[in-house]
Amino acid sequence: MLNVKTPDEVYRLVAQTPFVSTPVQMVPLAQAGGRVLAKPILAGEYVPGFHRSTVDGYAVAASDTFGALETIPAILEVAMEIQMGKSALGPLRPGCCAAIPTGGALPQGADAAVMMEHTEDYQDGTVGIYKPVAPGENVIFKGDDICPGKEVLAAGCTLGAKEIGALAAMGILQVPVRQRPRVAILSTGDELVPVEQLPGDGQVRDVNGAMLAALCQSLGAEPLTCGIVADEAGCLETALEQALVQGDMVLISGGSSVGSRDATFRAMEAQGPLLCHGIAMKPGKPTIMGSGGGKPILGLPGHPAAAFFVAELFLPSLLARLTGQHLRRYMFPAKLAETVSANHGRAQYMGVRITGTQEEGFMAHPIHGKSGLISLLADSEGYFCIPRDCEGMAAGETVYVIQYS
Ligand code: AMP
Ligand code: MG
């Protein structure tokens, strides 16, 4: 009997099952891009470290500009000129201002800046201010961005360009990240030959091994390619045991249904109880999830396109359990270019090609073809899901397209 779950139930199982996290390691800032932060980062400094002008113009005490009008400007003495990268030579006296470039340090006594456009230089050491400014206008104060003790980045965030920028601003040179999960990848099937071999009659190349390795890499994991294993319970059990020693988790593709040659579930059961055997989705129903020694094992269908979808859907969540990563999904609305039917009682995932622009709206063109045809999927930018209780979707309906990892 298959223990079939819906995709949502599988996500919940993934979230609730205890798995072993990968260790924390320190890496230099320059190598931290794409990694998962292991601990929250608290600021140790003020950013900016001094009050700064955000405009080219004059640093002033705002109260010296109150009541200024185009017809009756406030006239202030230009007491100093601020240089970039240097602090002011002294405090600003009442009735005085300082010429200041964007990013320049405000002198003591100044609490605002007036834009050059709202002033006139009388060429006699004074300027006219045509518009009053409020305290704090056109300046960012010391610590406006970051103050000591503030949590700037949360544990579990993925270090992209903007996060690396925040670390650089705080001068953090060594970053605590989770070790990349090592994913052992096995392919099973007596008909499979390595990619470099010309397949004989009845043989096919091992597509899934290379495909899943590439997916692991784009998800920030380290693939360990373990090759092809015969469709036989004993061989698979031994191979799975070794894979569990080498990897932080295991992906096996092929042999995942309950045919007489489908030995995967028996090998997986020998490692620990199965979380599910079958997911109510199309493609990808014969999927098995289990674990061994606290390490997840995902048994994928052999059809490359089905293996791809199942891995695309569930591998990010499994890896996130190993690293504590907070996952983000990127999706955008598009209008369905043609009617698609679905009444399988399973969530149906369809690859789509996207045309159009943000202005005129995106169109999603479903990719047709049998689930085994991976080359068709290669021509798609993302996918959408037709829920299991839905009989199909009409041309013109809005779907939410999820971008591939
Ligand atoms: P299975 O899930 O083992 O029943 O396999 C379903 C289909 O996928 C069969 O046509 C297999 O030949 C094919 N298949 C299984 N594993 C792979 C693989 N690693 N690469 C390419 N095709 C595969
Ligand atoms: Mg097979």
Side-chain angles (χ1 to χ4, degrees):
M1 260 287 273
L2 296 191
N3 170 17
V4 180
K5 306 271 188 227
T6 65
D8 280 351
E9 285 171 333
V10 175
Y11 282 121
R12 276 198 290 277
L13 277 173
V14 170
Q16 288 160 4
T17 308
F19 292 121
V20 180
S21 303
T22 60
V24 179
Q25 70 180 135
M26 299 300 287
V27 295
L29 181 63
Q31 280 152 39
R35 304 298 295 271
V36 178
L37 192 63
K39 298 175 180 168
I41 298 291
L42 305 183
E45 300 175 4
Y46 291 95
V47 178
F50 53 94
H51 304 332
R52 307 184 81 178
S53 172
T54 60
V55 296
D56 287 320
Y58 295 92
V60 296
S63 56
D64 281 347
T65 70
F66 292 168
L69 289 172
E70 187 109 34
T71 45
I72 319 162
I75 296 172
L76 300 179
E77 182 191 330
V78 184
M80 61 184 103
E81 200 169 308
I82 305 294
Q83 308 286 321
M84 285 304 275
K86 299 209 170 125
S87 54
L89 292 174
L92 206 60
R93 283 173 287 112
C96 293
C97 65
I100 194 165
T102 302
L106 250 58
Q108 215 190 327
D111 60 2
V114 182
M115 282 171 81
M116 186 71 81
E117 291 85 331
H118 300 143
T119 65
E120 184 176 346
D121 184 349
Y122 297 132
Q123 304 290 339
D124 63 352
T126 65
V127 286
I129 310 284
Y130 293 136
K131 247 183 115 175
V133 282
E137 200 166 329
N138 299 325
V139 299
I140 51 171
F141 291 114
K142 175 178 177 174
D144 259 358
D145 200 352
I146 297 170
C147 277
K150 177 186 169 185
E151 183 178 300
V152 180
L153 296 174
C157 79
T158 307
L159 299 172
K162 55 191 188 310
E163 290 78 13
I164 296 290
L167 292 171
M170 293 181 290
I172 292 174
L173 299 176
Q174 292 289 323
V175 191
V177 297
R178 287 281 168 189
Q179 223 167 65
R180 291 183 196 281
R182 289 160 304 170
V183 182
I185 302 171
L186 293 169
S187 301
T188 169
D190 293 338
E191 74 283 21
L192 302 179
V193 297
V195 176
E196 60 273 19
Q197 197 173 314
L198 191 66
D201 244 1
Q203 296 184 321
V204 292
R205 287 203 174 91
D206 172 15
V207 172
N208 297 345
M211 178 182 77
L212 295 170
L215 181 62
C216 287
Q217 276 170 335
S218 63
L219 292 171
E222 187 190 322
L224 306 174
T225 309
C226 302
I228 300 166
V229 191
D231 245 339
E232 196 269 314
C235 296
L236 257 183
E237 243 172 75
T238 312
L240 184 54
E241 246 161 54
Q242 282 170 0
L244 278 168
V245 172
Q246 290 181 293
D248 299 304
M249 71 164 283
V250 181
L251 286 177
I252 316 176
S253 70
S256 59
S257 44
V258 276
S260 57
R261 305 285 312 144
D262 293 320
T264 303
F265 84 92
R266 283 189 212 105
M268 283 177 63
E269 255 178 349
Q271 295 300 328
L274 302 183
L275 300 174
C276 77
H277 189 180
I279 302 182
M281 62 182 279
K282 185 188 177 211
K285 185 162 187 251
T287 295
I288 319 172
M289 204 178 277
S291 70
K295 299 178 179 183
I297 310 171
L298 184 57
L300 300 163
H303 280 299
F308 171 78
F309 266 114
V310 176
E312 176 75 37
L313 251 64
F314 300 108
L315 187 56
S317 303
L318 285 168
L319 292 173
R321 286 302 317 281
L322 305 185
T323 60
Q325 185 184 25
H326 296 305
L327 287 179
R328 288 187 176 152
R329 297 215 118 174
Y330 299 97
M331 50 178 100
F332 58 92
K335 284 210 169 12
L336 206 51
E338 59 184 84
T339 298
V340 287
S341 62
N343 53 1
H344 306 273
R346 306 189 245 162
Q348 183 168 324
Y349 295 86
M350 294 200 89
V352 287
R353 225 167 23 82
I354 299 295
T355 59
T357 61
Q358 190 151 19
E359 270 169 32
E360 65 194 28
F362 294 114
M363 294 291 284
H365 304 262
I367 302 290
H368 295 289
K370 297 173 187 164
S371 64
L373 302 178
I374 190 73
S375 59
L376 283 175
L377 263 191
D379 191 30
S380 65
E381 279 106 338
Y383 63 94
F384 73 100
C385 178
I386 306 175
R388 63 199 286 255
D389 51 6
C390 175
E391 297 209 334
M393 297 185 79
E397 270 191 73
T398 298
V399 293
Y400 282 86
V401 178
I402 301 170
Q403 285 173 261
Y404 295 126
S405 303

